[in-house]
Amino acid sequence: MSIQVLRPGLMTTIQDLGRYGFQKFGVLVGGAMDQHSLRIANLLVGNKEGEGALEVNLFGTTLQFNEDTLIAITGGDLQASIDGIKAPTWRPLLIRSGEVLTFTSAIKGCRAYIAFAGGIQVPEVMGSKSTYIRAQIGGFYGKALQKGDRFECGMMNERNEAIFSQLQKCSGHVAWSVNGHPFVNMNQARTIRVLRGTEYEYFDKDSQQTLFQETYEITSQADRMGYRLEGPPLTLNEPLELLSEGVTYGTIQIPPNGKPIILMADRQTTGGYPKIGQVISTDLAHLAQFQPLDEIKFKEVSMEEAEYAFINNEKAIHKIRLSLQLKFPL
Amino acid sequence: MKYKIIIKPLGDSALIVQLGDGVNPLIHERAQSLTTLLNMYQFNGFIEAVPAYNNVTVYYNPFIVYQSSYKTGQTSFQKVSAYINELIMRGKQERPSKERIVKIPVLYGGKQGPDLDYVAKYHNLSPEEVIHIHSSQDYLVYMLGFAPGFPFLGGVDRRVATPRKETPRQAIAPGSVGIAGEQTGIYPLETPGGWQIIGRTPRQLFLPEQSPPTLLQPGDKIRFIPVTLEKYETYKEDIQ
């Protein structure tokens, strides 16, 4: 088998862009927390952008390659190294048989993504390779990777082959890289853009202002399901009885204690807490790169601004797709 | 079909179509109907529609919506809203497919239903009376959520409605049938939870290998059938 897990790290799972079409059955979407990084990693090795890749968290993951393998590492800077030498990131990279890839610890961001040419060979469950741990489906036998697990890459397509053979000619990696900064902002003091939530109007005036003026802190209770925040509590004008209804990635809900919870990739499909805000889609990748105890500020934007950001981001990813096609002609 | 709808954005990639208030089978039918219509007449960029008690959440890709319509000066949210309004205004009510009654065999009490005695005592009833009340009405499946295949059902008889446990259990066995306030439901997977567990069914609610992947669908009616330990065990063997 081509890749062996020497140390799994905190929580390494196979993720793609999520399992859509089954939310009405209560099946959560899941998928990569930082989808921009996952998509770019896949494009860099010649995969379709929604292919399954590894999501690595914070520190400790170590993989051994038993075959020459084309990969790309994107996302947070987890100090990736190959046999002890700093690994080039945000570009296609040829790992030689016998080499060991290690993620030491996160110096910027929280999650890195490793895409493999040909993808990871695991079956799709309900149209997706994303790992759904609670239901024990998808990914690698429905679980996070464990020490000793081995997996295989899928068959390479023409585009994978083109990049692979060109890299063989230039000592395994290229001199250029994609600038990840516009796609994933990992600087300190990040501000996350937010649209008003469906129950925004039911919160008292003070709370409406507090959300956009005060600084919150991500607590240690922050995982793929949601981030619990610490900071000034937010309160409703009067108690509100809500029925469960749809929620989504980035929904900011307020439980009875007034402390916001931001729903992340592994959120449940429905929820019954009032929703004060909704993180815009474009900023979810930035949000995914926060670490516990990081500070977070929210800025209100309009629907026009949110959609404009979404459209520009898609255009920017498309530009990367085109320039890679020019760099590696078939 | 003429009724007032309200469309609210749920961020930039989803919206909620509010079709009425409260828990009511007629309003729920609107949600079922709109979900069916959206699946039949999909717009470019449509991802999926998720019905709840009295609304439908519609997920879409705003970039594809933007690309596939030349109307300028309109947001993707406005375009999708207009499409949904038109779909409803055209007045075609998709009749939900024929009502299905799904029988759920339940072993009440004992190890499988550790809170049955508590629920009985809470209402000054005998455990048998609780079982009788719980199993003598059909329940409409309003929606699935919380966990794969978890049904949100129409209200339970007030005579057995019981508040949640003060301290939730760390793990509730799959198939457990519970009561929480006026709600009743079945846990498809092992999860933590605070419901009063009165019994357990051997039937599997989440079937990832099948299509659709759940035993129950929104719009189904379910009927709890009390069974003996012997029958419960036979059932379990049959399923495995």
Side-chain angles (χ1 to χ4, degrees), chain B residues 106 127 147 162 236:
Chain B
V106 179
T162 315
K236 238 170 76 178

Side-chain angles (χ1 to χ4, degrees), chain A residues 213-267:
Chain A
Q213 283 171 358
E214 298 297 324
T215 301
Y216 283 83
E217 186 187 275
I218 315 258
T219 66
S220 58
Q221 285 174 289
D223 57 20
R224 285 187 43 87
M225 226 174 132
Y227 290 177
R228 281 180 187 271
L229 306 186
E230 189 50 67
L234 304 172
T235 46
L236 293 160
N237 272 321
E238 52 192 72
L240 190 61
E241 271 303 312
L242 287 177
L243 292 164
S244 281
E245 63 181 21
V247 293
T248 191
Y249 191 178
T251 299
I252 306 174
Q253 58 180 26
I254 309 296
N257 72 5
K259 305 289 176 77
I261 298 173
I262 313 181
L263 301 182
M264 301 299 285
D266 278 350
R267 75 245 172 227

Side-chain angles (χ1 to χ4, degrees), chain A residues 92-204:
Chain A
L93 174 64
L94 202 57
I95 300 221
R96 302 293 180 180
S97 177
E99 287 182 333
V100 173
L101 172 65
T102 304
F103 293 87
T104 310
S105 73
I107 48 171
K108 252 186 183 180
C110 185
R111 292 158 228 279
Y113 292 83
I114 317 167
F116 302 84
I120 301 170
Q121 213 179 57
V122 292
E124 287 189 354
V125 180
M126 292 188 257
S128 167
K129 290 183 178 176
S130 287
T131 313
Y132 185 174
I133 290 179
R134 177 83 73 192
Q136 297 172 13
I137 60 166
F140 192 77
Y141 298 101
K143 292 185 297 194
L145 292 184
Q146 311 286 315
K147 185 178 173 172
D149 284 348
R150 289 155 178 268
F151 59 88
E152 199 83 60
C153 296
M155 284 278 286
M156 286 208 275
N157 64 25
E158 243 185 327
R159 190 155 297 285
N160 299 136
E161 297 275 9
I163 303 172
F164 189 94
S165 60
Q166 203 162 319
L167 256 70
Q168 268 185 325
K169 287 179 215 149
C170 59
S171 73
H173 67 270
V174 292
W176 52 267
S177 66
V178 167
N179 175 14
H181 186 76
F183 302 100
V184 209
N185 177 356
M186 282 173 286
N187 290 335
Q188 293 283 301
R190 279 162 289 175
T191 298
I192 291 294
R193 290 171 287 180
V194 166
L195 286 158
R196 288 184 182 190
T198 43
E199 280 76 48
Y200 180 83
E201 301 301 332
Y202 294 92
F203 284 85
D204 58 46

Side-chain angles (χ1 to χ4, degrees), chain A residues 20-26 126 132 195 198 243 245-247 268-270 278 280-281 303 307 310-311 314-315, chain B residues 9 11-13 16 47-48 50 55 57 59 61 63 66 75-77 143-149 206 212 214 217:
Chain A
Y20 277 100
F22 300 94
Q23 288 194 84
K24 62 171 171 288
F25 303 114
M126 292 188 257
Y132 185 174
L195 286 158
T198 43
L243 292 164
E245 63 181 21
V247 293
Q268 293 170 0
T269 55
T270 57
Q278 176 68 44
I280 71 168
S281 300
M303 182 63 82
E307 287 191 5
F310 193 109
I311 290 162
E314 288 307 309
K315 287 181 173 167
Chain B
D12 54 34
S13 303
I16 298 182
I47 296 173
E48 62 183 310
V50 181
N55 62 33
T57 304
Y59 297 82
N61 181 323
F63 182 62
Y66 156 82
T75 60
S76 297
F77 168 71
M143 59 187 275
L144 302 174
F146 169 65
F206 180 46
T214 53
Q217 313 298 321

Side-chain angles (χ1 to χ4, degrees), chain A residues 54-85:
Chain A
L54 285 188
E55 181 178 275
V56 176
N57 283 275
L58 289 171
F59 59 83
T61 306
T62 307
L63 305 174
Q64 169 147 13
F65 290 73
N66 300 320
E67 230 174 273
D68 290 1
T69 310
L70 171 61
I71 69 162
I73 302 165
T74 61
D77 185 352
L78 272 52
Q79 290 183 293
S81 62
I82 298 164
D83 285 352
I85 297 161

